[in-house]
Structures are given as structure tokens and as C-alpha cells.
Amino acid sequence: MPPSPPTSPTAAPPWARSGDLSRLAFATIWSTGADPARDGIFRLRALRRDPAQGEDEELDLFLSPFSGGSEGRDDVHRATQRMANEFGVHSGDLDGAPSLDEVREEFERFLSGRAVLVPDARLFSAWFENAPFTVVDLPAIAALLLPGRLASLGERLADELTSIGEGPPGPITPERLRDALGILVGRALDRPPAVLSLLAHALADAVDGLESLEDRAAGELRLAAGLLEHPSIWRGKRSQLYPEHNALTDGQLSDAVRLHDTLEDALEAGFPRWAQGEEREPPQLSPAGEEPAPLDASDRRAIDEIFQVHLPRLFAERDARNEGPEGHRFRPGQHEVAARIAERFGHKEFLLVHAPTGTGKTLAYLVPALLFAVRNELRVGVATYTRALQEQALARDVPLALACLKRIGAPPPRVSVLKGRSNYLCWRALSNQLPPPEAHPAELLAWLSLALFATSEPDGDLDRFSPRAPFGIPERGDAWRRRMEQLIRLVRAETGCCSQASDRATCGAHAARRRAERSHLVLTNHAFTLARREFFRYVIFDECEHLHDVAREAFSHSVSVRALRELLDRVHRTRQGRTRSVLGRLLDIVLDGSGASTVAQEGVEIGRRARWIVDEFSDALVRFKDWRAARARHGRDEDSYALFREYLGCDESGDLLTAHTRLAIALNDLGACLQRLAEHLDESPGRHSRRIRRRLDLLRSDLEDAREAVEAWIPRAGESIDGPPLLRETSFHDLETNARGDDVLAARVLLPHEHLGRHYYPDLSSAVFLSATTWLAGGFDAASAYLGLTRAAHPIEGEEREPSILSTFRAPEAFDYSRVLVAVPRDAPSIREDKRAFLRYTARFVGYLAERTRGRMLVLFTNAEDLATVAADLEPFFAARSLPFWYQRMR
């Protein structure tokens, strides 16, 4: 029996009335194949504990789709052989297998009245509709207790259970499912006391709130709390096998809730995972080093040894342990790319590489880049176009590269990922968003999910946070996602969001920046690399074909007049007698005559003046458009893009230039005022002040972006905003109209390759550019010109710099394309005549092939909307068959 709950002056916590945990059961469904109609045999297993005896009872049932007259069929033989390999079951054991109805009836009788833990609730519910038991989804419990780490435990269960020496991955059994629950709960309990106290208080408050609403989710949360408080009731006898099970002792939630009086007190004592150990950080590395030297002959021989000996041997060892994909072999193209990078990287030159699909280019550049960085104690950047490639490199290729370097005796390099600020969680912003006591319990659970993510994840990267609805959440599906999306938007780090040192120490973006400054190799994106050119001097550009477009966005600005008005409305505006703005709400809560009140009133006045200036500016834009229309009627179409430059040189432009100057100054003054106001709020305690402060941070960041766009629209000579216009020939400046009919101030780089080749590349010490599309029309000329490398290699008269040295390398093809078969179905409907019928056909065709290949497919579309339509139709199909399924734009 569970221990008696401790006495407390407050109401009894939810785990004191958690119900009979001894009636928790575990069930799994396993099949020999993804297409049971052809070669599959189902095995359904369940495990329950007898409340009276305290002993486990098991149910083990087989279900075969084959009739008794199919003994000679090859697919039956394959299925039974697979069953024998996985379970030690032979064909004789399948004789007299029950029917589907008999299996369901016996299963439901065995589990009646229980809460049944399963790896995937969707799959299980498809088998047992209106069952006399409650289905409990293990990944949903993981999403509640350890969001970000084990939220996908249903898919990774076998890997989790075999990573600690139990043998190769096998079918998920009820016993393994119970072990996985123990691992999950053990990790949830193995937290700092303040974090466990935060979890305990939030669970208690959420259950109380849900019970007052008479919501059935209260029972689910009580069950989750009971799992944490009384693990002795449900855990198995194999607990000594798993280190996480050492934390499974009773009464820990009761101890934690007594540690602090309230949730707010626990939050004050808590801190995010990434804020730990800052005093033990390694020294910061320079992007250029002291006297960096290219890799010498011995280093290059070591790299040859890595790709010829150590890497194939490493894969062979992993194959023997069933830890990786089978069939890896030595790749000559991969070795050649690595050797060429090792030879040229570190010299004052650029290398343009064509690495065809299948080369293994990520590992080919990681090994020499890491060795170069650690030999010279400097920082090397790896810039990719997509975050997906960064995650893939960090999870799959970086560990291999580090293992290879260890085998040649190289010092261990430090590697990190650095993304844009808004990809990280800010702890101060999260603390400010703690829901008030009167909020709906779902708000508290959403906040708790992010708080636990912050206290368990080492870097606060929100890409690793799963927005899946956790166990016990009263809202499901879209309602939960909308709530989470809104909260995530409020807790993202923003430019200037943490001005004090204590706040920066707990901000995920600042922590990521600190790690990157101390790393030998930093995985980041093209945009950051171009925008923060001082951060890297040695760079490898993967997916380099996108650099041209990224440069256009990075060096360009635009803002609509409508967006400026909406931004100023967020500062202060009253509608129907109610304030619906940041400063309006702030003035409602601060004391009259206080410093915060005085500065807020000043901000209101500046905001009003800025709105008047926007109106004047808009009138001036109308006069320009009238002038432009009149001139266009008498000119040529190709001259229309030069009219804005011509107008700025006319006397008629005086009112536009004056309004532009006044608008830029007003936006700058308003941003400075909000900065002073934020400093006053730092001195004001209280939840309302903290939440308003966060909204001020976001508003100030948006104001700064708008100010930069306004100033870039008409750049001025000298340092003053009221100087004469100075429009560069390499940029496009004009007034545009968007799809909504709004005026848009546009300042765009006309020739990104010109800007890259003249202003960016010359500052680099060395760079490598890789892609599978750099060899075009029989050479590198097109790619080199498009990327600006040709421009870097040929300075024009008047440029005081040396020409950049450019070398190229083309790796051999990895595949024998003469063996490719291209098959086109002849019965597909015409996409032009009936697109809906074509997409339905595509969904059926993809599903047909996926079922027979067991999901090992890559499907390419030319239209993103068509992809989303087909994928949405196929998602339930893949889920019902337990096939992994990913597509662009999926939630």
C-alpha cells in the first residue's frame, strides 16, 4: 500500500487521492510487417497486476490474417520466420489462432476498468473503440513531465531501452513499456529540489482548477501525480537494470511541495538548465586566432587515415552492435572532398566544391574543419541554409567526426549550434508569463510545459520543444496548439530583451552566444553569418546555392505604412473607452507621479506625435505617387524605376524628405523612451509589471526594426539623419504597393553577388563553398558568378584590395545513374483537367508504395500547397500503420 500522505495545513495534494495505481496495466500491439495483409502476424500482449496478490498477470495473443489452407505460401513462411527471430515463436504456436473478434473480447475482458498505458494511443484506439478501459498514451505523459526530451518516446522506445546494454532493439513488450515509464518518471524526479517543487505546486494547482470546472482531465493529472508520488506500486522487478530507476522512491512530491509555500516561491528559486555551470566555462576563442597555420602534411595523412581506415571500421563496429544503418562503405568522393578541404582550408583563398548527392559532404568538411580549429585554437563557422541540416549534423555527423578525431589522438574540439535569437527561450520572459491564479488551468499547464523544458534542456532551443498536448490537458488538437503558439511567441528571446547581467545569464539566446564564442566549430545559418561578419573569419558554406537569396534578404529592408501605424497603435491607443495598448495598460497599474508614470506619459506624447508625422508622411507619399504617375505617362516603362531617385533631386521632394527625417527621429525617441521605462519597471516588483515589461521589450525590438527600415529607405550623407539623400547605385530604393494595396518603403540590394564579392568575402580569411549544384553547363563559371566569387577574384579599378584566390573541385558521382529506372504511371488523371482527382490519385499511389516499402521513401513535390494537401490526407493512413511520416509544414 502507498505510504500515508503527510499532514499539511493546506488542502490535501492530488497525489494523496490518486486512486488505485495497482490497477494500471500495460499493453502493446506488434506486427511482423507494415502490410499485414501480405506478410504480417499480430501479437497483442498485456500486463496487469493482481491487486490482491500483488503479482503480475500476462495475456499473450496472436492474430494471423491467413486461413488454414495457406501453409505453402512464401509470405507465411517469411512471417513465421520473422516471428521466430523476434519472439522465439514457431509456426506450430500459431495453429488455432483466435479471430479478431475473439482477440478483442478477451483483451477487453482482461483490461476492463483499468487505465492502460500504451506506446501510441492513436494506434491502440483504432483497434479498440468504445473499450471498457482508459487508454493512457506514454508520449503524452512524457510531454507533460519531460517536454523536449522524451515527448517522442513512443517512436524511440526501443532505442531508449537498448541504449543501456539490454541488447539489440526488439519488439516493444508490456514489460519494456513499464521499464520505459520507470525511465521517464525517474528522469522527471531526478531534478533540482526547486524544479521538483515547481512541478508539484503546478500539478496541484492545475488539478484543483480542473476539478472546480468538473473537467475529466483532472483525473488524468491525478494519475500522473500518483505515478510520481507512489512509484513502488507500479514499477516492475527489473528496476536494478536501469540507473534512472534509482530515483523511484515514494513521497518525493510531498517533500517537494513542502519546500516552498507557493508556485511563485518555487519559481523564484528555480533557474534554467543552461544557466548552470557558467563559472566553469572554457575561455572564449578568437575567430582569427593568433598565428593560424593550415593543416600540415602529418595532419593531412591523419585525415586520409580517418576516411580510409577509422571511419569504415567505426561503421563496422556500429553495424555489429545494431546501432546504425547497415552497409556503409568507403566513399572515394567523400575522402577526396575532405582531402581537398584539408589541403586548402586556412590559406587566404576560397574553395568552390561540387559534391553530388550521396557524397557524404557533411562529414567530409567536418573532420578537416574541426582538426584545423583545434590545432589553431580558433573558431570556425559552418553555415547552412536550413535548421534541419544543422540538427542532422549535430545529431549524426558531429559524433562520428569527434570519434574519428579521438582515434588519431587529436584534442577534443567543442561544438555548438547557434541560431537566431528568437529560436531560444528567455527565462525572464517565461517567469513574467506565469498565469494568474484566476487563469484557466490549461494556461498553467502550457506554462508548466515550457518551464520544465527550460529546466531540463541544456540550451533552450525551442526547435526541440514539442507542442504536443501533454497528458491531462483539457484542450486537444488545434486549441492547444494555438495556446502554445501564443505563449511561445511571448517567451522567445528578442533583441535587447535582457539588459541586466542577471537576466542575460538566464536567457537562452545569451547562453547560446556564450557557448558559440567558446566553441571550435559553430553550426549556424547563412543569415547570421552574413549579418555578424565579425564572428567568423573561417567559414564553410553548405547549401551555398542559397547564399545569393539570403544575401538579398540580409542586406535589404522594407516596411509598410500600415505596419508603422499598427506599431504605433501598440504604444498607446484608446478604443471605446478602453486602453488596448502597452502604455495604456501600464498607466493603469503604476502610481501617479512615479518615475514610471512620468516616462510612460512622455512615451504616450511621443507616440501621438509619431502618428501625426506618419499622417504627414503618408500625404507626402501621395504627392510623390501623383508626380510619378504624371511622369510615367510621358516616359518609358523601363525608366519608371529611376523616378524615385529623380524625385529626391527635385524641389518637390522637400516635404517628403522633411517628413522622413521627422519620422526617423520620432521612432528613435520613442525607442529611447521605452528603454528608460523598462529600467523603471525593473525596480517595480509584481507580476503585472513583469508582464508589461516583456511587452515593452517586444515593442522596442519592433520599433528598432521599423526605424532601420525607414532610415534605409532614404539613406543620408554623413552621420546626420537630416543630411542630403545618398542612394547607392547597387541598391534599389522605391515606393511599392503590396497585395493589400499598402504603401511599402523598399530598400533592396540589386546585386547580392556584387555586395558579397566586394564587401563581404574580402574580410574572410578562408572559406569553402559546397553544394550538389555548383557544376553547371560543364563548369563552375555560372555558380562562381552567381555567388559573387568571380567578383571577389577580380576587383575593379579603385578597390584597394588584393584579388581573392579561388580554386575549384568536382567530386565524382556517388551513384551509377545508368542503373536508374524512371517509371511513370499511365493511369494518373490529368492535373490540368482535374487537379483534385490528381491529388487523390497521388495520395493513394504514395500510400500503396509506402505500405510495401515500410515507409522507406522520399516523395518530392513541385508545389508546396499540393504537398500539404496530400500529406494531410495521408497522415492518418501512416499513423494507423505505425509508419514514420514527416512532411514540410507539418505541425
Side-chain angles (χ1 to χ4, degrees), residues 158-170 313-328 395-397 399-400 403 407:
D159 291 338
E160 283 290 329
L161 293 177
T162 57
S163 63
I164 49 180
E166 194 181 317
R313 184 176 296 166
L314 188 62
F315 273 101
E317 293 170 0
R318 292 180 59 180
D319 290 345
R321 297 193 302 266
N322 293 303
E323 292 180 355
E326 298 180 2
H328 179 86
R396 188 184 69 183
D397 298 297
L400 285 172
R407 295 195 175 200

Side-chain angles (χ1 to χ4, degrees), residues 566-581:
E566 292 174 348
L567 182 59
L568 294 173
D569 283 347
R570 288 165 54 192
V571 176
H572 181 73
R573 186 172 185 179
T574 301
R575 295 179 182 175
Q576 298 177 351
R578 297 180 61 190
T579 57
R580 298 178 180 273
S581 60

Side-chain angles (χ1 to χ4, degrees), residues 229-251:
E229 177 72 0
H230 309 301
S232 64
I233 299 177
W234 54 265
R235 70 179 180 182
K237 299 178 180 179
R238 306 194 304 170
S239 59
Q240 69 274 12
L241 295 177
Y242 308 105
E244 291 88 349
H245 287 193
N246 294 330
L248 299 180
T249 58
D250 289 354

Side-chain angles (χ1 to χ4, degrees), residues 867-883:
L867 184 155
T869 299
V870 172
D873 289 342
L874 283 172
E875 197 162 12
F877 176 90
F878 278 81
R881 288 154 180 80
S882 294
L883 294 176

Side-chain angles (χ1 to χ4, degrees), residues 16-206:
R17 48 189 191 279
S18 58
D20 189 1
L21 286 174
S22 62
R23 293 188 62 78
L24 180 67
F26 304 85
T28 58
I29 301 174
W30 185 85
S31 171
T32 56
D35 185 5
R38 294 182 64 248
D39 66 348
I41 297 174
F42 287 104
R43 188 175 192 181
L44 290 79
R45 302 182 68 180
L47 177 69
R48 71 182 185 186
R49 181 163 292 181
D50 183 356
Q53 302 297 326
E55 297 293 331
D56 291 340
E57 299 176 331
E58 293 190 55
L59 180 67
D60 192 354
L61 301 173
F62 293 101
L63 179 64
S64 171
F66 308 122
S67 63
S70 60
E71 291 84 353
R73 285 172 52 181
D74 292 339
D75 47 10
V76 177
H77 176 72
R78 288 196 305 271
T80 54
Q81 186 62 42
R82 190 190 301 265
M83 184 70 77
N85 293 338
E86 300 287 0
F87 283 117
V89 176
H90 301 285
S91 57
D93 298 323
L94 300 176
D95 293 341
S99 65
L100 176 60
D101 290 339
E102 291 173 328
V103 166
R104 284 176 174 163
E105 182 180 349
E106 189 167 357
F107 225 67
E108 291 176 354
R109 183 170 56 250
F110 186 79
L111 298 174
S112 179
R114 294 176 178 266
V116 182
L117 189 73
V118 300
D120 188 341
R122 294 178 302 173
L123 174 63
F124 209 86
S125 298
W127 277 72
F128 299 94
E129 296 181 1
N130 302 317
F133 51 79
T134 302
V135 175
V136 179
D137 190 54
L138 182 64
I141 295 181
L144 172 68
L145 301 180
L146 285 175
R149 297 192 65 188
L150 296 180
S152 59
L153 185 60
E155 300 169 5
R156 297 166 42 206
L157 182 58
D159 291 338
E160 283 290 329
L161 293 177
T162 57
S163 63
I164 49 180
E166 194 181 317
I172 301 174
T173 65
E175 187 69 27
R176 285 190 168 200
L177 193 61
R178 182 163 60 181
D179 293 339
L181 179 63
I183 293 173
L184 191 158
V185 173
R187 293 181 184 180
L189 291 171
D190 188 20
R191 283 183 160 119
V195 177
L196 202 56
S197 181
L198 185 150
L199 170 61
H201 277 285
L203 282 178
D205 292 349

Side-chain angles (χ1 to χ4, degrees), residues 201-275:
H201 277 285
L203 282 178
D205 292 349
V207 170
D208 288 343
L210 290 172
E211 287 183 334
S212 66
L213 298 174
E214 299 183 354
D215 196 301
R216 63 177 180 83
E220 294 185 358
L221 277 185
R222 283 199 305 272
L223 176 61
L227 293 173
L228 295 168
E229 177 72 0
H230 309 301
S232 64
I233 299 177
W234 54 265
R235 70 179 180 182
K237 299 178 180 179
R238 306 194 304 170
S239 59
Q240 69 274 12
L241 295 177
Y242 308 105
E244 291 88 349
H245 287 193
N246 294 330
L248 299 180
T249 58
D250 289 354
Q252 294 193 61
L253 283 193
S254 296
D255 294 339
V257 82
R258 287 193 295 264
L259 188 61
H260 298 96
D261 293 335
T262 65
L263 176 58
E264 288 83 353
D265 293 337
L267 178 60
E268 288 291 332
F271 49 86
R273 171 85 178 274
W274 56 82

Side-chain angles (χ1 to χ4, degrees), residues 491-692:
V491 303
R492 290 184 183 277
E494 297 289 345
T495 302
C497 70
C498 292
S499 56
Q500 298 183 2
S502 58
D503 293 334
R504 290 195 295 272
T506 61
C507 180
H510 284 278
R513 177 66 180 259
R514 287 197 308 270
R515 283 193 304 273
E517 290 171 342
R518 290 155 176 77
S519 297
H520 294 96
L521 187 136
V522 180
L523 296 163
T524 186
N525 56 44
H526 291 166
F528 177 86
T529 309
L530 296 180
R532 304 303 298 270
R533 61 180 65 191
E534 78 284 353
F535 206 76
F536 300 114
R537 288 292 180 269
Y538 297 87
V539 189
I540 293 175
F541 291 99
D542 200 348
E543 304 175 293
C544 67
E545 70 272 21
H546 299 286
L547 262 179
H548 185 278
D549 293 336
V550 173
R552 185 189 303 277
E553 294 297 322
F555 305 138
S556 300
H557 299 274
S558 68
V559 64
S560 71
V561 177
R562 177 195 290 267
L564 290 174
R565 286 197 172 97
E566 292 174 348
L567 182 59
L568 294 173
D569 283 347
R570 288 165 54 192
V571 176
H572 181 73
R573 186 172 185 179
T574 301
R575 295 179 182 175
Q576 298 177 351
R578 297 180 61 190
T579 57
R580 298 178 180 273
S581 60
V582 175
L583 295 189
R585 292 175 181 174
L586 178 60
L587 288 170
D588 289 340
I589 65 172
V590 297
L591 295 175
D592 292 339
S594 65
S597 174
T598 301
V599 178
Q601 289 287 0
E602 180 185 348
V604 169
E605 293 304 318
I606 297 175
R608 287 172 178 165
R609 185 171 73 250
R611 282 203 299 275
W612 296 334
I613 294 173
V614 169
D615 292 337
E616 294 177 357
F617 182 67
S618 184
D619 292 340
L621 292 178
V622 171
R623 288 189 286 273
F624 162 66
K625 289 189 290 184
D626 291 340
W627 178 91
R628 182 173 62 182
R631 291 297 301 269
R633 285 195 293 269
H634 305 289
R636 297 175 301 177
D637 290 342
E638 56 266 29
D639 294 333
S640 61
Y641 295 105
L643 291 178
F644 183 66
R645 291 173 180 267
E646 182 181 341
Y647 183 76
L648 293 181
C650 299
D651 293 338
E652 292 94 327
S653 66
D655 59 342
L656 177 61
L657 291 174
T658 300
H660 174 261
T661 298
R662 294 183 63 199
L663 178 58
I665 293 174
L667 293 175
N668 183 72
D669 291 347
L670 186 56
C673 180
L674 296 185
Q675 172 63 40
R676 296 198 307 273
L677 184 57
E679 294 170 358
H680 280 284
L681 287 181
D682 286 336
E683 303 170 0
S684 302
R687 177 187 297 132
H688 292 297
S689 296
R690 293 196 302 266
R691 300 187 79 166
I692 292 293

